[in-house]
Amino acid sequence: MIRFLEISNQTLFYYYLVCNLAYLAMLIIALKTSAAHQRQLQSVSLAWIRQSPLAPPITILAPAHNEEKSICVAVRNLLDLDYPELEVIVINDGSTDRTLEEVRREFGLRLVRSLYIPQVASAPVRGLYRSDSDKRLIVVDKEPGGSKADAVNAGLNAATSPYVCIVDTDSVLERDALLRIMVPLLNDPKRVVCVGGIVRVLNGAEIEGGRVRRIRLPRKSIEVIQVVEYLRAFLIGREAWARGNMLMIISGAFGVFRTDLVRAIGGYRASSIGEDFDLVARLHRHLLDKDEDYYIQFVPDPVCWTEVPSDLRSLGRQRARWQKGLLDVLWANKDMLFRPRYGRIGCLALPYLWLFELLAPVIELGGIVTIALAAWFGVLSRDLMVEFLLFGYAFATVISIGSVLQEELTYKRYNDWQDVARLVTYCFLEHFPYRQMHMIWRLQGLWQYLRGDMAWKQLKRQGMESTRTDVSSALQNEVPGSHQTTGNLR
């Protein structure tokens, strides 16, 4: 028993050492990449892209299921995006509320007879509608497919552009987001096959007419923690992985893909849980099997704002589902591990996801148990245990603070010094007690997957219009320093 605890604690020490060094390396890479990106932006004229006849058309695919609260605001936002040639396809995925009726009333939809070729599989389509007020808007009304992936596939069949941009209808794109995300594709159209943009937390922002008018941190502690998490995940994680052409996920809330490639791999896998991760993994596999020279890129400044869960129950369900999606995709692509054909994806990116993402909550729980037992039996000095835990906590907190400082030094979305101070403060809370809560949610996701529980559990959301109203009143009544801290995220 004693020997087991010694080996276990030593292994755990090296595990966390490698994990922290990996995060440090990603932070350094991300800082350099951000600086290079800022220099590149100075030489790019968005006005040229806006006015150029060479800018390729884009079809926006926006799946919607029971989105009556926010669908009209979302569609207005999409139609108002600044881009030369745009097609917007909203896919009504068997909504049981008034989603379709709201769009019909607002945009004057009429049923059209149009050729619809199901190149990728999806649930049956009931009808196609076009807007009389804006010919760029098409609505695909379909039977419920049980997943976002199935809805996107139906929209993909109706798309007519060489590029598709997949967004969530409960998110808000900044007006110039498409112009910015297309810069890498226009610079290298042969190699760049898809691009992901950054996703930021909408909660707390003031929305008017489908646009973010004022950016403020949310009031709830659980939402602020998610702001820190999103900054770290996107500005450090995805920026660093994309630098090495090893980006494995493009957020389903905002990404642009070559239409022909998505169709070539059969669209989204309708049975997948993490459809955005699954799509990018299969794109890597397809292109590497064909020995193609390609690049999957991330751009940190075209912003998509999305509403995040504001209660612990919804947040726990979301994180459990993300963990199920991670396991589902990694297991489906386990044959890519350590195979020379798949290069750095099979030898670095996927092993990292297995070891430091999928198995992390299991290892962390085991580590808590073995460290406690070792301290109890006197194998591990209690002073050494405290020092080890404090070092891990301090290192992880520094990484989170680095992501906040990177945001403030480069993109400066939070201009109020009180907001910046709150963000830095919450960096100290993210790894205790929030990390432990997140560990439990992820373990629940693994257990649910292993026992076959793949059900989608509805998340509680306010919707864009209610968010705007609540935030406006909150801004009027907010008392600085009055917030209580609760839980956090991954």
Side-chain angles (χ1 to χ4, degrees):
M1 178 66 173
I2 301 300
R3 181 58 179 163
F4 168 76
L5 292 175
E6 290 176 344
I7 296 174
S8 175
N9 290 333
Q10 189 175 31
T11 303
L12 186 68
F13 171 80
Y14 286 113
Y15 174 84
Y16 278 111
L17 177 64
V18 173
C19 182
N20 287 330
L21 290 176
Y23 271 114
L24 180 61
M26 284 190 281
L27 175 60
I28 294 172
I29 294 171
L31 289 172
K32 291 183 176 181
T33 304
S34 290
H37 181 71
Q38 291 297 310
R39 290 193 297 269
Q40 183 187 30
L41 280 180
Q42 297 175 1
S43 62
V44 173
S45 173
L46 297 183
W48 178 87
I49 301 175
R50 185 187 304 113
Q51 299 167 5
S52 173
L54 300 178
I58 297 177
T59 295
I60 296 180
L61 303 181
H65 177 73
N66 292 344
E67 303 281 357
E68 64 177 357
K69 285 185 178 181
S70 59
I71 188 63
C72 291
V73 176
V75 173
R76 282 198 299 269
N77 175 279
L78 296 176
L79 290 171
D80 199 35
L81 290 175
D82 198 359
Y83 195 78
E85 192 168 347
L86 192 62
E87 176 182 61
V88 176
I89 298 180
V90 176
I91 306 100
N92 179 44
D93 187 35
S95 297
T96 56
D97 64 358
R98 292 183 50 81
T99 298
L100 183 59
E101 288 74 12
E102 288 294 322
V103 181
R104 180 186 287 119
R105 175 187 57 81
E106 183 75 16
F107 298 98
L109 299 183
R110 59 180 175 83
L111 189 65
V112 296
R113 295 183 180 276
S114 180
L115 183 63
Y116 178 86
I117 302 175
Q119 298 182 48
V120 295
S122 75
V125 170
R126 300 166 178 165
L128 298 176
Y129 297 83
R130 186 179 292 274
S131 169
D132 284 331
S133 60
D134 193 323
K135 302 299 183 184
R136 298 175 300 166
L137 174 62
I138 297 171
V139 175
V140 177
D141 184 31
K142 62 182 287 292
E143 298 289 342
S147 67
K148 174 184 173 181
D150 187 87
V152 172
N153 283 347
L156 187 66
N157 289 327
T160 61
S161 305
Y163 292 98
V164 289
C165 177
I166 300 165
V167 302
D168 287 338
T169 51
D170 59 348
S171 302
V172 178
L173 297 184
E174 292 189 349
R175 189 180 180 88
D176 62 354
L178 287 181
L179 295 174
R180 292 180 179 275
I181 203 171
M182 288 299 288
V183 169
L185 287 160
L186 294 174
N187 284 342
D188 193 356
K190 291 185 178 180
R191 292 184 66 236
V192 179
V193 298
C194 53
V195 182
I198 191 170
V199 177
R200 291 175 178 263
V201 174
L202 179 65
N203 307 49
E206 186 176 354
I207 304 172
E208 183 179 342
R211 293 291 169 197
V212 177
R213 299 302 180 190
R214 187 181 184 188
I215 300 169
R216 292 291 302 272
L217 281 184
R219 294 191 62 182
K220 288 187 176 182
S221 297
I222 194 172
E223 297 171 342
V224 180
I225 291 254
Q226 290 176 81
V227 174
V228 176
E229 181 187 31
Y230 273 60
L231 289 176
R232 189 183 66 250
F234 282 91
L235 292 182
I236 294 180
R238 298 194 187 178
E239 187 137 36
W241 285 111
R243 180 71 174 181
N245 198 19
M246 292 181 285
L247 185 62
M248 293 301 299
I249 183 169
I250 289 178
S251 174
F254 186 34
V256 172
F257 301 82
R258 259 178 48 187
T259 308
D260 62 327
L261 280 178
V262 179
R263 287 174 176 162
I265 63 173
Y268 280 83
R269 185 164 61 94
S271 61
S272 66
I273 304 172
E275 64 280 337
D276 41 10
F277 178 25
D278 180 74
L279 180 69
V280 177
R282 288 192 295 119
L283 280 173
H284 276 295
R285 177 191 286 272
H286 175 78
L287 292 165
L288 289 169
D289 281 340
K290 290 183 171 293
D291 199 26
E292 296 281 353
D293 181 21
Y294 72 97
Y295 194 27
I296 294 178
Q297 200 161 9
F298 170 76
V299 184
D301 63 320
V303 174
C304 169
W305 298 88
T306 191
E307 184 182 350
V308 299
S310 58
D311 64 280
L312 285 174
R313 185 175 184 180
S314 294
L315 182 57
R317 286 177 171 179
Q318 183 191 63
R319 299 314 150 119
R321 182 179 184 271
W322 286 3
Q323 194 71 6
K324 285 191 286 187
L326 178 63
L327 175 54
D328 184 56
V329 176
L330 289 180
W331 185 254
N333 293 281
K334 61 185 180 299
D335 60 316
M336 294 177 67
L337 282 170
F338 304 113
R339 291 185 62 185
R341 166 186 285 185
Y342 299 112
R344 64 188 73 183
I345 299 299
C347 297
L348 187 57
L350 288 177
Y352 178 91
L353 290 173
W354 274 95
L355 188 58
F356 296 109
E357 292 291 342
L358 181 67
L359 298 178
V362 178
I363 294 173
E364 188 169 341
L365 178 62
I368 292 173
V369 173
T370 56
I371 287 177
L373 288 173
W376 177 265
F377 287 110
V379 179
L380 177 66
S381 163
R382 287 179 173 81
D383 292 339
L384 182 60
M385 179 186 71
V386 172
E387 291 174 1
F388 174 75
L389 294 176
L390 286 177
F391 172 78
Y393 168 80
F395 198 101
T397 301
V398 168
I399 297 296
S400 294
I401 292 175
S403 65
V404 173
L405 294 180
Q406 182 183 2
E407 143 69 23
E408 289 309 305
L409 291 173
T410 52
Y411 308 107
K412 301 179 181 177
R413 297 287 177 165
Y414 298 100
N415 295 317
D416 191 317
W417 70 269
Q418 291 179 328
D419 284 346
V420 178
R422 286 184 65 209
L423 277 177
V424 173
T425 300
Y426 276 86
C427 290
F428 290 90
L429 300 173
E430 185 188 12
H431 298 282
F432 183 83
Y434 177 73
R435 181 185 179 95
Q436 290 68 41
M437 297 170 62
H438 194 262
M439 176 191 70
I440 294 172
W441 295 330
R442 295 168 75 183
L443 288 170
Q444 288 175 343
L446 292 175
W447 173 246
Q448 289 168 7
Y449 184 90
L450 292 175
R451 65 187 177 90
D453 180 6
M454 307 301 177
W456 166 267
K457 296 178 175 63
Q458 191 67 32
L459 304 183
K460 182 180 177 181
R461 287 193 314 230
Q462 290 182 329
M464 291 187 194
E465 292 296 345
S466 59
T467 299
R468 177 190 60 78
T469 302
D470 293 347
V471 169
S472 297
S473 60
L475 289 174
Q476 294 173 4
N477 300 322
E478 182 174 2
V479 179
S482 65
H483 308 298
Q484 300 296 318
T485 57
T486 56
N488 334 50
L489 185 126
R490 155 169 132 178

